[in-house]
Amino acid sequence: HAKHAGRNRFAFFTEKMQATSTRALTLSNALHDALEQNEFSLHYQPQVSLISGKVIGAEALIRWHSKKLGHVSPGEFIPLAEESGQILAIGEWVVRTAVRQIQQWIEAGITPVRIAVNLSSAQFQVGDLPKTTIKILNEYRIPVEYLELELTERIVAKDPEHTVIILESLQELGIRTSIDDFGTGYSSLSYLQRFSVYKLKIDQSFVRNMTTNTNDQVIIGTIILLAQQLGMTTIAEGVETKAQLDMLNNIGCDDIQGYYISRPIPAEAFKKAYLENKQRIIAVDD
Ligand code: C2E
Ligand code: MG
Ligand code: MG
Ligand code: MG
């Protein structure tokens, strides 16, 4: 009986493992020519200042609509692109597309906002990130202040010494950087102090239950104090309710981003809603 159960359990696991790797293989194959096939796009999610109540930036988030497989989320395909090395080409496409978008807005007579793009570890490790970024900005004649680069604590932790050097040269070039999903990884405090980083992005996992969970409130409050001590600004991710917004405002968070304001949306919709009309979009107490 035990033997039988064991065999079934084994069969169950291999089937599941096989299903997972089949999906991964199918995705990897489709990913292979996704760039050529023009299957990627960027959506933009507004970032709002709690001081002015105005949109001060946007995060660009990649979207993949595969002709074969339909919509695939970045949470699923980015790790595969990282494994295969395709993330380098995709990452450059993301920066180029965001910068080209800024140029299109400027040419249409619209004042853009700063666009933040997400970086993967490989983009930080190989090649010359500061040089390639500046090259793209120059190509489209876009001032450095319109671009921001987001890196995660995981990237930082991989090689802190290297990170310090890259962050310094990005800062010298005037390119702003932020640490994404802050609080979820292992940021060595001694390194954090040496990082020329402009902004900490408080991870959405702390924001989610903050109105009822005092631990999360304490963590968020501590991150904000830390940022203030280090001369960095803070933005909270995943803000979905007015109650979260009010509490973040009370504890001194600078900016917010989340479904309460807007989901990530296509460039055209972003332009209509947030660039053509630059009014306050949330009420703030002065
Ligand atoms: P992230 O950079 O931390 O982006 C935030 C994610 O949270 C996005 O998911 C966004 O749509 C979602 N989000 C925003 N506001 C809310 C909210 O109020 N509630 C909830 N529940 N979610 C919210 P998305 O677009 O699926 O991206 C997932 C992750 O994939 C990103 O996390 C980022 O790590 C990665 N990613 C996305 N685009 C790129 C890219 O161009 N390059 C790289 N390397 N990674 C990317
Ligand atoms: Mg991000
Ligand atoms: Mg994040
Ligand atoms: Mg995240």
Side-chain angles (χ1 to χ4, degrees), residues 9-284:
R9 199 152 54 227
F10 182 68
F12 170 76
F13 277 121
T14 47
E15 261 168 47
K16 199 178 163 193
M17 277 157 54
Q18 202 168 347
T20 309
S21 63
T22 305
R23 168 80 175 163
L25 207 61
T26 310
L27 286 179
S28 291
N29 286 336
L31 202 53
H32 193 74
D33 39 36
L35 262 182
E36 267 168 52
Q37 297 291 315
N38 231 333
E39 294 177 342
F40 293 119
S41 63
L42 292 184
H43 279 190
Y44 298 86
Q45 186 177 38
Q47 301 177 327
V48 176
S49 160
L50 289 174
I51 297 169
S52 68
K54 292 180 178 175
V55 173
I56 45 104
E59 178 174 2
L61 293 149
I62 195 167
R63 297 292 176 257
W64 178 25
H65 187 86
S66 159
K67 285 172 193 87
K68 286 187 203 120
L69 306 164
H71 178 76
V72 185
S73 75
E76 195 173 13
F77 75 80
I78 292 286
L80 295 173
E82 285 173 342
E83 267 171 47
S84 71
Q86 289 169 88
I87 194 64
L88 289 174
I90 295 172
E92 183 166 339
W93 179 89
V94 170
V95 174
R96 183 174 295 278
T97 303
V99 170
R100 197 194 299 125
Q101 186 59 68
I102 295 164
Q103 188 200 43
Q104 282 170 11
W105 284 330
I106 292 174
E107 278 179 353
I110 284 161
T111 310
V113 288
R114 176 181 299 111
I115 306 291
V117 302
N118 292 282
L119 295 182
S120 284
S121 162
Q123 290 169 274
F124 223 77
Q125 305 300 308
V126 309
D128 192 338
L129 180 69
K131 209 185 245 169
T132 43
T133 309
I134 283 293
K135 202 183 123 234
I136 294 173
L137 285 165
N138 287 342
E139 208 177 302
Y140 294 91
R141 298 177 307 281
I142 299 303
V144 286
E145 60 260 33
Y146 284 125
L147 187 68
E148 177 178 317
L149 301 177
E150 291 190 6
L151 52 149
T152 60
E153 277 183 298
R154 260 187 315 124
I155 298 181
V156 170
K158 263 195 179 157
D159 191 347
E161 285 296 343
H162 175 70
T163 305
V164 169
I165 294 165
I166 300 287
L167 288 174
E168 260 168 23
S169 62
L170 287 171
Q171 193 194 36
E172 274 162 26
L173 292 165
I175 300 172
R176 283 199 194 180
T177 51
S178 51
I179 302 186
D180 202 0
D181 304 340
F182 191 78
T184 59
Y186 310 87
S187 267
S188 149
L189 292 183
S190 61
Y191 272 111
L192 197 57
Q193 187 227 92
R194 291 176 55 200
F195 288 154
S196 322
V197 161
Y198 186 80
K199 190 194 288 184
L200 299 182
K201 299 194 74 177
I202 301 167
D203 191 65
Q204 53 190 65
S205 62
F206 304 117
V207 176
R208 193 168 301 127
N209 303 312
M210 71 173 296
T211 53
T212 51
N213 184 324
T214 48
N215 281 335
D216 289 338
Q217 284 166 33
V218 170
I219 291 169
I220 292 175
T222 305
I223 294 174
I224 291 170
L225 283 177
L226 181 67
Q228 287 169 350
Q229 291 298 314
L230 296 172
M232 298 172 182
T233 68
T234 46
I235 180 165
E237 295 191 272
V239 177
E240 295 185 352
T241 67
K242 177 76 163 70
Q244 291 166 341
L245 182 156
D246 288 338
M247 191 174 265
L248 287 160
N249 193 22
N250 285 336
I251 56 180
C253 189
D254 298 305
D255 307 325
I256 58 160
Q257 178 183 340
Y259 295 169
Y260 180 71
I261 306 294
S262 169
R263 285 178 179 262
I265 51 177
E268 189 59 26
F270 182 83
K271 181 186 80 166
K272 286 217 168 76
Y274 303 109
L275 297 180
E276 286 174 0
N277 169 359
K278 283 246 174 68
Q279 284 156 15
R280 282 187 172 191
I281 61 156
I282 55 168
V284 285

